[in-house]
């Protein structure tokens, strides 16, 4: 991932509604959700949601797929993996043991809050 791509993804996630949309789509998994279902779940006006989905799509964090008359939106976890890898590429100044709490989150089966470092 290039720096500009990382900045675009972070900027897209740096807005409350877009972060909520992305997290909701991560929870929805491969099935994704229609814009109407997202709007209902987050209590967001459809025209406002359209703007947010556009920003997330342009950043590569969300993919849209037409299914008949509907469009299903899905979180693009590959882009998120690239972003996290970019952010942690030089993690802990060559001391991998300092990154252990972060690495353990990736392999754990729980979604609890991480411990403060």
């Amino acid at each position: 991932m290039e720096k500009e791509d990382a900045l675009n993804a972070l900027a897209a996630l740096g807005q409350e509604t877009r972060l909520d949309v992305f997290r909701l789509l991560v929870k929805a998994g491969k099935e994704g959700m229609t814009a109407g279902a997202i709007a209902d779940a987050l209590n967001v006006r459809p025209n406002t949601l359209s703007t947010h989905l556009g920003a997330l799509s342009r950043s590569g964090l969300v993919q849209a797929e037409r299914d008949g008359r509907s469009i299903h939106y899905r979180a693009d976890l590959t882009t998120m993996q690239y972003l996290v890898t970019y952010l942690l590429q030089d993690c802990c100044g060559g001391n991998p043991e300092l990154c252990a709490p972060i690495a353990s989150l990736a392999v754990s089966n729980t979604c609890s809050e991480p411990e403060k470092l």
Side-chain angles (χ1 to χ4, degrees):
M1 175 170 271
E2 299 294 324
K3 184 189 285 188
E4 184 175 332
D5 297 327
L7 289 169
N8 288 334
L10 290 169
L13 293 173
Q15 197 280 337
E16 184 177 0
T17 302
R18 289 193 294 265
L19 181 60
D20 290 344
V21 169
F22 182 77
R23 293 189 64 184
L24 181 66
L25 290 174
V26 168
K27 290 177 188 174
K30 293 178 185 178
E31 293 299 315
M33 296 176 75
T34 63
I38 296 167
D40 290 343
L42 298 177
N43 196 28
V44 177
R45 292 191 343 245
N47 60 336
T48 302
L49 179 62
S50 178
T51 300
H52 294 306
L53 286 169
L56 288 166
S57 294
R58 285 188 298 279
S59 73
L61 291 166
V62 168
Q63 298 295 319
E65 183 179 321
R66 183 166 292 282
D67 181 21
R69 295 182 65 194
S70 299
I71 298 176
H72 277 78
Y73 294 90
R74 293 172 187 79
D76 188 327
L77 298 180
T78 300
T79 299
M80 180 52 74
Q81 288 173 327
Y82 289 148
L83 177 60
V84 170
T85 299
Y86 178 83
L87 293 172
L88 298 177
Q89 203 164 23
D90 300 315
C91 183
C92 305
N95 298 302
E97 68 279 1
L98 296 175
C99 293
I102 296 169
S104 70
L105 288 174
V107 296
S108 85
N109 290 328
T110 63
C111 291
S112 60
E113 291 290 320
E115 292 180 28
K116 300 246 192 252
L117 297 177

